[in-house]
């Protein structure tokens, strides 16, 4: 049973396949977290409900483990809820009131009700058990049943308590533009570590995901407690380790500059904070999160179309003639979708003007956009378009007509970032404008795909409140409106796919992924840098949403030269796109690219639906390797990369994972793929003729799963920036 309530001892157990999550009501009537980890007998946790006193300075040690603690009394840990009642009282005492399961709820849902011991402020803790993935979704609803307003200073979605371990370690990601999703791992010593965004969007500096372990977990083994918050605006996750060895993770919408008023009868519901426990290391954690996203979070289809995007080829210099040329080449390569990026509208000749004027530019498209769309469709592709609806250039008709639509403070000059200002999406007329122009675009043209960008942070977050005498959070309103717009567009245009982009990968989280089919994870398209960025991304997010493009060599960002093979293999790890100026590619490059695209189409179901195993990382050496296995364990795709070769070492054995030990796996070309040249090359084709072909993963070679997992798949990777792709299929023994 996913939810067990032990009435007599007032203990609740949320039971997943491989974990128990236990809390109960103590003698004071407060809800106390008891245990989270490998399954235990919930009833035997009762002893932990006992109140513990240490000294008058640490009066109630247990308060640090409250399941959802309000700020008041001796709770000095990061609170879940901090309020100010109208009479000035700022002390909250949440007491257990009751619970609800079954009847009007789904079988795996539980609501626990708390209320303040004096004021009619009700708190509903919601739990949903995702049994098969060992996950629990949590959120909270605060209801003001007073006759007067209550100010909410801080309201977190949930608090997670990890068991006391002698040395707790935190894994998270950090980054910046063109360097998102850099993995970091460090001990969590006494005190607080705050991961957050105050920028108005999820941000590249941090991402709302964390993992805790006892300092010993690795990719393959060890206990890991983790969580991911679904909020795409200002968020905060506080990881706090107390002097009593307790570790508590509190997360939700950032309270910074975020206080708001709940009027009489009003309520607030937090975003969902999903937490999980695994005993199989970081690899298992990621697979649980990936499967969860695919089955519960993502809105549409998982399989990504191969797209071509003309941004890096033309930047703002878009014109119909060149776009058609690019489209012809893209079709020859095998692209299924042609996307026109920034520069197609208004006076958008650079990033200095035109943003906000969403009319097709008549000089660039004298016969309208449909001419290009018709050509793209004739070539057998569908059509996609870039938009950035939340921003405006001051040099635009939109801004000239509506200077009051941007966030602003009356005495301040607005900060320009990329020459643009942010629109106040909380204003009903701005929200209506965005919905209207998007609806216009999507109903006028045959558009299958929208790349929705946001290229700046929010500054001067001034807005006139819609309700008098009520404090509102501009930050929350922006995100609420954004979600409402996306939800409405998806409802109106169910066949259109959407990509979330924010100057690269600055707005990807479980909140956005409820609406977005795919995500642009970084403007850095250098295939080597990308492997590091993609690895960090894969810790929390599914490769099925991870868009990767093959672009030019030498690369515009760093001048690095990489073989086409390496660039393709790196981009095939997620949703494959091509973003190079293919009008200038040689015939040989087009033919080679076409082979990779054909190959990708044969294996992309593994990327989209299979299990990911990270076999080797550039963080630890010169080889990186990723493996995708179909859920029935019949098909395997291995991608291996060497960034630098030293001292003549070319051979390696890659220990695979997740195979059927007794199954016999044969190296093959996936059905339908053109064989020649796509198995892998380092650009010098040195690995095409290895000295020792018998030991090499050549077509036809057969091994048992046990051999591949224990001894490893033999591979030759010769030279710098060599890469290989190997496909194996399980055969029944005859
Ligand atoms: C952002 C995106 C890019 C591209 C440009 C266009 O930087 O991340 O992919 O769309 O905007 O201006």
């Amino acid at each position: 049973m996913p939810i067990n309530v032990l009435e007599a001892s007032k203990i609740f157990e949320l039971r997943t396949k491989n974990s128990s999550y236990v809390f109960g009501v103590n003698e004071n009537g407060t809800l106390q977290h008891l245990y989270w980890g490998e399954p235990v007998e919930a009833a035997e946790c009762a002893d932990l409900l006992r109140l513990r006193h240490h000294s008058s300075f640490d009066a109630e040690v247990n308060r640090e483990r409250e399941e959802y603690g309000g700020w008041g009394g001796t709770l000095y840990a990061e609170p879940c809820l901090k309020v100010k009642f109208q009479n000035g009282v700022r002390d909250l005492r949440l007491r257990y009131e009751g619970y609800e399961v079954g009847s009007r709820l789904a079988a795996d849902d539980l609501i626990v009700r708390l209320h303040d011991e004096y004021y009619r402020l009700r708190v509903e803790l919601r739990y949903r058990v995702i049994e098969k993935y060992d996950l629990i979704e949590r959120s909270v609803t605060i209801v003001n049943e007073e006759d007067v307003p209550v100010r909410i200073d801080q309201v977190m979605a949930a608090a997670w308590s990890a068991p006391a371990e002698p040395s707790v370690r935190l894994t998270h990601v950090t980054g910046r533009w063109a360097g998102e999703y850099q993995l970091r791992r460090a001990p969590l010593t006494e005190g607080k570590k705050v991961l957050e965004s105050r920028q108005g969007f999820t941000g590249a500096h941090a991402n709302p995901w964390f993992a805790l372990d006892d300092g010993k977990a690795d990719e393959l083994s060890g206990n890991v407690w983790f969580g991911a918050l679904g909020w795409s605006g200002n968020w905060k996750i506080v990881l706090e380790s107390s002097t009593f060895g307790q570790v508590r993770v509190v997360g939700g919408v950032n309270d910074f500059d975020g206080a708001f008023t709940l009027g009489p009868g009003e309520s607030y519901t937090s975003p969902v904070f999903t937490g999980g426990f695994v005993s199989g290391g970081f690899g298992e954690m990621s697979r649980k999160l990936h499967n969860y996203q695919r089955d519960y979070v993502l809105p549409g289809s998982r399989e990504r179309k191969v797209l071509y995007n003309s941004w890096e080829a033309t930047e703002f210099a878009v014109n119909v003639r060149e776009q058609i040329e690019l489209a012809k080449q893209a079709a020859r390569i095998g692209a299924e979708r042609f996307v026109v990026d920034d520069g197609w509208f208004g006076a958008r000749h650079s990033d200095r003007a035109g943003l906000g004027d969403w009319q097709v530019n008549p000089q660039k498209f004298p016969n309208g956009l449909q001419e290009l769309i018709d050509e793209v469709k004739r070539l057998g592709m569908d059509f996609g378009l870039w938009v950035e609806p939340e921003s405006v250039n001051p040099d635009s008709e939109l801004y000239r007509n509506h200077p009051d639509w941007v966030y602003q403070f009356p005495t301040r000059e607005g900060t320009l970032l990329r020459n643009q200002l942010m629109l106040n999406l909380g204003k009903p007329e701005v929200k209506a404008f965005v919905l209207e122009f998007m609806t216009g675009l999507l109903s006028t043209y045959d558009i299958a795909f929208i790349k929705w960008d946001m290229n700046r942070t929010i500054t001067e977050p001034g807005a006139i409140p819609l309700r008098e005498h009520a404090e509102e959070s501009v930050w929350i309103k922006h995100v609420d409106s954004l979600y409402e717009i996306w939800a409405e567009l998806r409802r109106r245009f169910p066949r259109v796919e959407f990509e979330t982009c924010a100057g690269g990968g600055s707005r990807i989280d479980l909140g956005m992924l409820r609406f977005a089919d795919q995500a642009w994870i970084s403007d850095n398209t250098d295939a080597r840098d990308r492997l590091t960025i993609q690895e960090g991304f894969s810790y929390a997010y599914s490769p099925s949403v991870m868009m990767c493009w093959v672009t030019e060599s030498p690369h515009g960002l760093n001048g690095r030269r990489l073989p086409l093979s390496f660039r393709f293999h790196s981009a095939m790890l997620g949703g494959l796109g091509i973003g190079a100026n293919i009008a200038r590619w040689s015939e040989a490059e087009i033919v080679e690219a076409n082979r990779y695209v054909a190959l990708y189409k044969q294996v992309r179901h593994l990327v989209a639906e299979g299990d990911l195993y990270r076999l080797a990382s550039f963080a630890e050496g010169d080889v990186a390797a990723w493996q995708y296995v179909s859920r029935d364990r019949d098909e395997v795709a291995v991608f291996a990369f060497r960034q630098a070769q030293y001292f003549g070492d070319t051979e390696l054995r890659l220990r695979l994972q997740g195979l059927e030990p007794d199954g016999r796996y044969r190296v093959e070309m996936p059905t339908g793929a053109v064989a020649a040249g796509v198995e892998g090359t380092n650009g010098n084709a040195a690995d095409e003729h290895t000295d020792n072909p018998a030991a090499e993963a050549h077509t036809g070679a057969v091994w048992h799963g046990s051999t591949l997992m224990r001894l490893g798949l033999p591979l030759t990777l010769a030279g710098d920036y060599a890469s290989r792709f190997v496909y194996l299929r399980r055969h029944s023994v005859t």
Side-chain angles (χ1 to χ4, degrees):
M1 286 290 285
I3 294 164
N4 303 308
V5 184
L6 312 178
E7 297 279 354
S9 47
K10 286 201 184 141
I11 284 183
F12 298 82
E13 181 195 28
L14 309 181
R15 186 69 174 249
T16 71
K17 223 166 120 206
N18 304 298
S19 77
S20 292
Y21 182 99
V22 188
F23 56 93
V25 184
N26 71 12
E27 64 195 67
N28 283 349
T30 52
L31 208 59
Q32 198 70 30
H33 179 81
L34 301 177
Y35 175 81
W36 188 24
E38 284 187 286
V40 292
E41 287 302 322
E44 294 170 18
C45 297
D47 171 54
L48 295 167
L49 282 174
R50 194 170 32 89
L51 295 175
R52 281 172 57 217
H53 297 272
H54 181 70
S55 72
S56 61
F57 300 102
D58 301 298
E60 286 174 71
V61 173
N62 318 53
R63 291 222 60 187
E64 293 170 4
R65 287 178 78 96
E66 268 187 42
E67 183 65 8
Y68 192 83
W71 183 66
T74 57
L75 185 87
Y76 296 110
E78 184 73 19
C80 288
L81 186 59
K82 181 178 182 309
V83 305
K84 183 178 178 186
F85 295 104
Q86 220 200 15
N87 60 2
V89 171
R90 305 192 312 283
D91 183 85
L92 187 63
R93 302 201 178 172
L94 293 176
R95 297 285 176 258
Y96 173 75
E97 180 182 307
Y99 73 95
E100 201 179 317
V101 286
S103 60
R104 68 187 183 95
L105 300 180
D108 31 24
D109 283 355
L110 165 71
I111 292 179
V112 177
R113 291 185 213 287
L114 315 175
H115 63 260
D116 181 77
E117 66 179 29
Y118 179 89
Y119 298 96
R120 282 176 296 154
L121 187 75
R122 184 179 298 257
V123 172
E124 287 183 0
L125 307 182
R126 287 166 184 268
Y127 299 84
R128 169 164 292 175
V129 182
I130 315 284
E131 207 175 346
K132 63 177 169 175
Y133 298 137
D134 299 312
L135 297 170
I136 299 165
E137 288 183 344
R138 289 182 60 183
S139 64
V140 66
T141 298
I142 314 293
V143 190
N144 177 17
E145 292 174 353
E146 291 282 304
D147 300 329
V148 289
V150 175
R151 195 181 78 186
I152 310 289
D153 288 321
Q154 166 153 331
V155 50
M156 297 281 103
W160 301 98
S161 293
E165 298 283 348
S167 59
V168 178
R169 189 171 57 165
L170 167 66
T171 305
H172 63 105
V173 287
T174 182
R176 54 196 164 149
W177 177 80
E180 296 89 338
Y181 302 98
Q182 308 283 321
L183 211 58
R184 294 285 182 269
R185 205 161 269 170
L188 193 69
T189 52
E190 288 81 354
K192 285 181 185 175
K193 169 86 176 178
V194 181
L195 306 175
E196 67 172 352
S197 165
R198 296 181 179 191
Q199 300 183 323
F201 58 13
T202 323
H205 301 155
N207 186 272
W209 160 79
F210 73 90
L212 295 171
D213 75 295
D214 60 4
K216 295 194 275 283
D218 57 23
E219 196 60 20
L220 290 162
S221 65
N223 291 344
V224 183
W225 294 262
F226 56 96
L229 177 75
W231 187 246
S232 315
N234 285 359
W235 58 272
K236 172 169 106 167
I237 294 179
V238 179
L239 302 111
E240 188 167 8
S241 175
S242 81
T243 42
F244 292 93
Q246 293 167 348
V247 176
R248 194 177 139 96
V249 184
V250 171
V253 173
N254 205 330
D255 58 304
F256 179 81
D257 192 41
F260 61 93
T261 312
L262 272 190
E266 286 183 345
S267 66
Y268 162 85
T269 296
S270 77
V272 173
F273 198 177
T274 305
F277 167 81
V278 294
S279 55
F282 296 108
E284 192 188 348
M285 169 202 69
S286 297
R287 287 186 291 280
K288 294 271 153 94
L289 281 169
H290 299 167
N291 283 323
Y292 162 65
Q293 285 153 31
R294 289 161 182 158
D295 292 359
Y296 293 88
V297 182
L298 292 164
S301 98
R302 312 283 169 268
E303 221 164 83
R304 302 275 65 89
K305 288 202 170 182
V306 176
L307 65 76
Y308 177 79
N309 179 303
S310 58
W311 170 246
E312 290 198 21
T314 67
E315 298 216 332
F316 297 96
V318 173
N319 71 65
V320 69
R321 195 178 37 78
E322 276 173 30
Q323 294 290 318
I324 288 177
E325 283 318 301
L326 288 166
K328 284 181 181 156
Q329 290 292 75
R332 291 186 63 213
I333 288 176
E336 298 156 304
R337 172 169 291 164
F338 185 84
V339 184
V340 177
D341 211 279
D342 201 348
W344 58 268
F345 52 90
R348 189 73 170 164
H349 305 293
S350 72
D351 62 17
R352 287 186 296 279
L355 199 60
D357 299 339
W358 300 104
Q359 297 82 34
V360 177
N361 181 299
Q363 281 83 48
K364 297 179 179 185
F365 295 93
N367 306 316
L369 191 60
Q370 197 58 42
E371 182 185 5
L372 174 62
I373 299 178
D374 288 344
E375 186 60 18
V376 164
K377 297 203 77 176
R378 199 187 59 75
L379 290 163
M381 299 179 287
D382 68 25
F383 183 76
L385 201 60
W386 177 97
V387 292
E388 188 181 350
E390 296 153 81
S391 278
V392 63
N393 283 127
D395 186 0
S396 67
E397 289 310 310
L398 185 72
Y399 185 77
R400 282 186 277 275
N401 292 334
H402 302 285
D404 57 324
W405 278 13
V406 298
Y407 291 116
Q408 56 192 302
F409 287 125
T411 54
R412 304 286 176 217
E413 194 65 34
T415 304
L416 284 176
L417 295 168
R418 212 192 188 211
N419 306 303
Q420 61 200 54
L421 296 166
M422 281 300 291
L423 291 175
N424 175 358
L425 272 201
K427 256 183 188 276
E429 56 270 42
V430 177
K431 190 175 154 194
F433 161 77
V434 171
L435 252 178
E436 235 164 76
F437 95 73
M438 285 302 296
T439 301
L441 272 179
L442 292 172
S443 39
T444 310
Y445 301 107
D446 197 349
I447 294 173
F449 170 78
I450 287 289
K451 173 178 173 184
W452 183 300
D453 209 340
M454 181 196 188
N455 273 310
R456 58 157 296 166
T457 57
I458 297 180
T459 55
E460 298 84 34
I464 299 156
L466 295 178
R467 297 172 312 167
E468 265 182 76
H469 312 302
E471 230 179 312
E472 288 178 340
S473 167
V474 168
W475 306 103
I476 293 180
K477 268 197 109 65
H478 189 95
V479 181
D480 280 347
S481 295
L482 181 78
Y483 288 163
E484 282 158 22
I485 292 170
W486 278 59
E488 183 56 23
L489 289 174
R490 289 205 75 105
R491 201 187 58 75
R492 290 185 190 172
F493 304 98
R495 279 195 293 278
V496 176
E497 290 184 11
F498 290 83
E499 177 171 284
T500 175
C501 171
S506 278
R507 194 159 61 190
I508 306 169
D509 56 80
L510 292 183
M512 213 58 213
L513 292 181
R514 286 185 293 139
F515 305 104
D517 298 274
Q518 59 190 57
W520 183 234
I521 73 162
S522 180
D523 279 349
N524 185 340
T525 57
D526 166 67
R528 163 60 192 87
D529 282 1
R530 258 310 182 104
L531 285 173
T532 296
I533 294 170
Q534 292 170 190
E535 179 182 71
F537 183 83
S538 80
Y539 268 69
Y541 301 109
S542 163
S544 71
V545 302
M546 180 176 86
M547 291 310 292
C548 319
W549 298 351
V550 172
T551 55
E552 300 294 345
S553 172
H555 195 265
L557 195 71
N558 53 21
R560 186 181 277 128
R561 286 174 195 277
L562 292 173
L564 199 57
S565 50
F566 193 98
R567 284 180 274 154
F568 262 101
H569 288 148
S570 167
M572 284 161 74
L573 296 174
L576 176 64
I578 292 123
N581 191 349
I582 49 178
R584 288 207 222 115
W585 275 16
S586 70
E587 194 55 23
E589 281 172 309
I590 297 286
V591 171
E592 192 183 343
N594 175 277
R595 290 206 197 103
Y596 285 113
V597 170
L599 175 66
Y600 176 74
K601 288 175 182 168
Q602 298 306 317
V603 297
R604 65 176 154 191
H605 62 284
L606 299 177
V607 175
E609 303 283 356
D611 281 331
L612 167 68
Y613 295 87
R614 292 178 292 255
L615 303 180
S617 164
F618 284 150
E620 280 153 16
D622 288 311
V623 173
W626 296 47
Q627 177 200 350
Y628 295 96
V629 183
S630 61
R631 293 213 196 165
D632 59 11
R633 299 178 185 217
D634 280 357
E635 288 183 278
V636 184
V638 179
F639 296 87
F641 306 85
R642 187 194 288 287
Q643 59 177 339
Q645 186 192 325
Y646 298 108
F647 316 119
D649 287 340
T650 56
E651 289 179 20
L652 64 135
R653 283 201 179 249
L654 269 184
R655 264 185 239 136
L656 305 190
Q657 296 174 36
L659 307 183
E660 207 51 70
D662 296 331
R664 283 155 61 85
Y665 289 86
R666 189 164 77 197
V667 177
E668 290 181 4
M669 281 316 296
T671 334
V674 193
V678 292
E679 277 181 290
T681 153
N682 63 353
N684 308 318
D687 60 344
E688 295 287 303
H689 29 81
T690 144
D691 292 342
N692 186 5
E696 179 62 9
H698 61 273
T699 306
V702 180
W703 294 277
H704 277 91
S706 54
T707 307
L708 290 167
M709 292 192 288
R710 292 162 198 160
L711 190 60
L713 173 77
L715 272 186
T716 303
L717 279 176
D720 294 352
Y721 301 123
S723 63
R724 289 290 306 268
F725 165 77
V726 179
Y727 173 83
L728 300 115
R729 182 189 284 276
R730 178 153 66 121
H731 286 262
S732 50
V733 187
T734 46

Short mmCIF file of all heavy atoms in Angstrom, two decimals, residues 177 309 311 316 341-342 348 351 386 388 418 451 453 455 501-505 520 522-523 549, ligand 1:
data_model
loop_
_atom_site.label_atom_id
_atom_site.label_comp_id
_atom_site.label_asym_id
_atom_site.label_seq_id
_atom_site.Cartn_x
_atom_site.Cartn_y
_atom_site.Cartn_z
N TRP A 177 25.85 31.68 -18.38
CA TRP A 177 25.53 31.59 -19.79
C TRP A 177 26.66 30.84 -20.50
O TRP A 177 27.84 31.09 -20.23
CB TRP A 177 25.37 33.01 -20.38
CG TRP A 177 25.11 32.95 -21.86
CD1 TRP A 177 23.92 32.68 -22.46
CD2 TRP A 177 26.08 33.12 -22.90
NE1 TRP A 177 24.08 32.66 -23.82
CE2 TRP A 177 25.39 32.92 -24.13
CE3 TRP A 177 27.44 33.39 -22.93
CZ2 TRP A 177 26.03 33.02 -25.36
CZ3 TRP A 177 28.07 33.48 -24.16
CH2 TRP A 177 27.37 33.30 -25.36
N ASN A 309 17.96 24.54 -37.24
CA ASN A 309 17.68 25.90 -36.78
C ASN A 309 18.70 26.82 -37.42
O ASN A 309 19.91 26.56 -37.39
CB ASN A 309 17.76 25.95 -35.25
CG ASN A 309 17.51 27.35 -34.71
OD1 ASN A 309 18.20 28.30 -35.06
ND2 ASN A 309 16.52 27.49 -33.83
N TRP A 311 19.68 29.89 -36.68
CA TRP A 311 20.25 30.99 -35.89
C TRP A 311 21.75 31.16 -36.09
O TRP A 311 22.24 32.23 -36.41
CB TRP A 311 19.91 30.79 -34.41
CG TRP A 311 20.64 31.74 -33.49
CD1 TRP A 311 21.59 31.42 -32.57
CD2 TRP A 311 20.51 33.17 -33.43
NE1 TRP A 311 22.04 32.54 -31.92
CE2 TRP A 311 21.39 33.64 -32.44
CE3 TRP A 311 19.72 34.10 -34.12
CZ2 TRP A 311 21.52 34.98 -32.12
CZ3 TRP A 311 19.84 35.45 -33.80
CH2 TRP A 311 20.74 35.87 -32.81
N PHE A 316 20.70 37.56 -37.20
CA PHE A 316 19.51 38.39 -37.48
C PHE A 316 19.27 38.61 -38.99
O PHE A 316 18.24 39.12 -39.39
CB PHE A 316 19.65 39.74 -36.79
CG PHE A 316 19.70 39.63 -35.29
CD1 PHE A 316 20.92 39.61 -34.61
CD2 PHE A 316 18.53 39.51 -34.56
CE1 PHE A 316 20.97 39.49 -33.23
CE2 PHE A 316 18.57 39.38 -33.18
CZ PHE A 316 19.80 39.37 -32.51
N ASP A 341 14.79 31.23 -36.41
CA ASP A 341 15.04 31.77 -35.08
C ASP A 341 14.76 33.27 -35.08
O ASP A 341 13.98 33.80 -35.88
CB ASP A 341 16.48 31.43 -34.66
CG ASP A 341 16.65 31.24 -33.17
OD1 ASP A 341 16.78 32.25 -32.47
OD2 ASP A 341 16.65 30.08 -32.70
N ASP A 342 15.43 33.99 -34.21
CA ASP A 342 15.28 35.44 -34.06
C ASP A 342 15.49 36.15 -35.41
O ASP A 342 16.21 35.65 -36.26
CB ASP A 342 16.37 35.90 -33.07
CG ASP A 342 16.04 37.21 -32.43
OD1 ASP A 342 15.12 37.88 -32.90
OD2 ASP A 342 16.73 37.57 -31.46
N ARG A 348 13.71 43.95 -36.69
CA ARG A 348 14.66 43.15 -35.92
C ARG A 348 15.88 42.82 -36.78
O ARG A 348 16.02 41.68 -37.27
CB ARG A 348 13.95 41.87 -35.45
CG ARG A 348 14.73 41.04 -34.47
CD ARG A 348 14.80 41.64 -33.11
NE ARG A 348 15.35 40.69 -32.15
CZ ARG A 348 15.80 41.03 -30.95
NH1 ARG A 348 15.76 42.30 -30.56
NH2 ARG A 348 16.30 40.11 -30.15
N ASP A 351 19.95 42.99 -32.07
CA ASP A 351 19.21 42.87 -30.81
C ASP A 351 18.82 44.24 -30.25
O ASP A 351 18.34 44.35 -29.13
CB ASP A 351 19.98 42.02 -29.79
CG ASP A 351 21.31 42.62 -29.40
OD1 ASP A 351 21.54 43.83 -29.65
OD2 ASP A 351 22.15 41.89 -28.84
N TRP A 386 10.79 31.02 -33.73
CA TRP A 386 11.29 31.54 -32.45
C TRP A 386 10.46 32.74 -32.02
O TRP A 386 10.11 33.58 -32.85
CB TRP A 386 12.74 31.97 -32.67
CG TRP A 386 13.44 32.61 -31.49
CD1 TRP A 386 14.27 31.98 -30.60
CD2 TRP A 386 13.44 34.00 -31.12
NE1 TRP A 386 14.77 32.90 -29.70
CE2 TRP A 386 14.27 34.13 -29.99
CE3 TRP A 386 12.80 35.14 -31.62
CZ2 TRP A 386 14.50 35.36 -29.35
CZ3 TRP A 386 13.02 36.37 -30.98
CH2 TRP A 386 13.86 36.46 -29.86
N GLU A 388 10.06 35.61 -28.44
CA GLU A 388 10.46 35.99 -27.07
C GLU A 388 9.41 36.95 -26.53
O GLU A 388 9.62 38.16 -26.46
CB GLU A 388 11.85 36.63 -27.06
CG GLU A 388 12.32 36.82 -25.63
CD GLU A 388 13.69 37.48 -25.51
OE1 GLU A 388 14.38 37.63 -26.52
OE2 GLU A 388 14.03 37.85 -24.38
N ARG A 418 20.66 43.20 -22.88
CA ARG A 418 20.52 42.87 -24.31
C ARG A 418 19.57 43.88 -24.97
O ARG A 418 18.73 43.51 -25.78
CB ARG A 418 20.02 41.44 -24.51
CG ARG A 418 20.58 40.80 -25.77
CD ARG A 418 19.86 39.52 -26.12
NE ARG A 418 20.54 38.84 -27.22
CZ ARG A 418 19.93 38.08 -28.12
NH1 ARG A 418 18.64 37.88 -28.06
NH2 ARG A 418 20.61 37.49 -29.06
N LYS A 451 9.81 27.92 -30.39
CA LYS A 451 10.92 28.04 -29.44
C LYS A 451 10.67 29.33 -28.67
O LYS A 451 10.73 30.42 -29.24
CB LYS A 451 12.24 28.10 -30.20
CG LYS A 451 13.46 28.40 -29.33
CD LYS A 451 14.73 28.39 -30.17
CE LYS A 451 15.96 28.84 -29.40
NZ LYS A 451 17.15 28.91 -30.23
N ASP A 453 11.72 31.93 -26.01
CA ASP A 453 12.96 32.38 -25.38
C ASP A 453 12.69 33.43 -24.31
O ASP A 453 11.62 34.03 -24.27
CB ASP A 453 13.85 32.99 -26.49
CG ASP A 453 15.34 32.85 -26.19
OD1 ASP A 453 15.71 32.64 -25.02
OD2 ASP A 453 16.14 32.96 -27.15
N ASN A 455 15.45 36.31 -22.78
CA ASN A 455 16.87 36.64 -22.84
C ASN A 455 17.36 37.66 -21.83
O ASN A 455 18.37 38.31 -22.06
CB ASN A 455 17.22 37.11 -24.25
CG ASN A 455 17.56 35.93 -25.13
OD1 ASN A 455 18.36 35.08 -24.75
ND2 ASN A 455 16.94 35.84 -26.29
N CYS A 501 13.41 28.00 -23.62
CA CYS A 501 14.76 28.50 -23.82
C CYS A 501 14.85 29.80 -23.04
O CYS A 501 13.88 30.55 -22.96
CB CYS A 501 14.97 28.76 -25.32
SG CYS A 501 16.50 29.63 -25.73
N ALA A 502 15.99 30.07 -22.43
CA ALA A 502 16.18 31.37 -21.78
C ALA A 502 17.66 31.69 -21.90
O ALA A 502 18.47 31.26 -21.08
CB ALA A 502 15.73 31.35 -20.33
N GLY A 503 18.02 32.37 -22.97
CA GLY A 503 19.43 32.67 -23.21
C GLY A 503 20.26 31.41 -23.04
O GLY A 503 21.25 31.39 -22.33
N GLY A 504 19.81 30.32 -23.66
CA GLY A 504 20.37 29.00 -23.39
C GLY A 504 19.47 28.30 -22.39
O GLY A 504 18.24 28.34 -22.50
N GLY A 505 20.08 27.69 -21.36
CA GLY A 505 19.32 26.80 -20.48
C GLY A 505 18.90 27.38 -19.15
O GLY A 505 18.93 26.68 -18.14
N TRP A 520 16.08 23.93 -24.58
CA TRP A 520 17.38 24.33 -25.12
C TRP A 520 18.29 24.53 -23.93
O TRP A 520 18.09 25.42 -23.12
CB TRP A 520 17.22 25.61 -25.95
CG TRP A 520 18.49 26.07 -26.60
CD1 TRP A 520 19.07 27.30 -26.49
CD2 TRP A 520 19.35 25.30 -27.46
NE1 TRP A 520 20.22 27.35 -27.23
CE2 TRP A 520 20.42 26.13 -27.83
CE3 TRP A 520 19.32 23.99 -27.94
CZ2 TRP A 520 21.46 25.70 -28.66
CZ3 TRP A 520 20.35 23.55 -28.76
CH2 TRP A 520 21.39 24.40 -29.12
N SER A 522 21.71 25.02 -23.59
CA SER A 522 22.83 25.96 -23.56
C SER A 522 23.06 26.55 -24.94
O SER A 522 22.90 25.85 -25.94
CB SER A 522 24.12 25.25 -23.11
OG SER A 522 25.19 26.18 -23.09
N ASP A 523 23.47 27.83 -24.97
CA ASP A 523 23.88 28.43 -26.25
C ASP A 523 25.26 27.94 -26.65
O ASP A 523 25.73 28.22 -27.75
CB ASP A 523 23.89 29.96 -26.14
CG ASP A 523 22.49 30.54 -26.28
OD1 ASP A 523 21.58 29.79 -26.67
OD2 ASP A 523 22.32 31.74 -26.01
N TRP A 549 22.60 20.63 -30.74
CA TRP A 549 22.81 20.88 -32.18
C TRP A 549 24.24 20.57 -32.60
O TRP A 549 25.19 20.79 -31.84
CB TRP A 549 22.62 22.36 -32.52
CG TRP A 549 21.27 22.95 -32.28
CD1 TRP A 549 20.12 22.31 -31.94
CD2 TRP A 549 20.97 24.35 -32.33
NE1 TRP A 549 19.11 23.22 -31.81
CE2 TRP A 549 19.60 24.49 -32.04
CE3 TRP A 549 21.72 25.50 -32.61
CZ2 TRP A 549 18.97 25.73 -32.01
CZ3 TRP A 549 21.09 26.72 -32.58
CH2 TRP A 549 19.72 26.83 -32.29
C1 LIG B 1 19.10 33.22 -27.21
C2 LIG B 1 18.90 31.75 -27.51
C3 LIG B 1 19.55 31.43 -28.82
C4 LIG B 1 18.98 32.29 -29.92
C5 LIG B 1 19.11 33.76 -29.56
C6 LIG B 1 18.36 34.62 -30.54
O1 LIG B 1 20.42 33.52 -26.94
O2 LIG B 1 19.39 30.96 -26.47
O3 LIG B 1 19.40 30.06 -29.13
O4 LIG B 1 17.61 31.94 -30.08
O5 LIG B 1 18.60 34.03 -28.26
O6 LIG B 1 18.42 35.96 -30.24
#
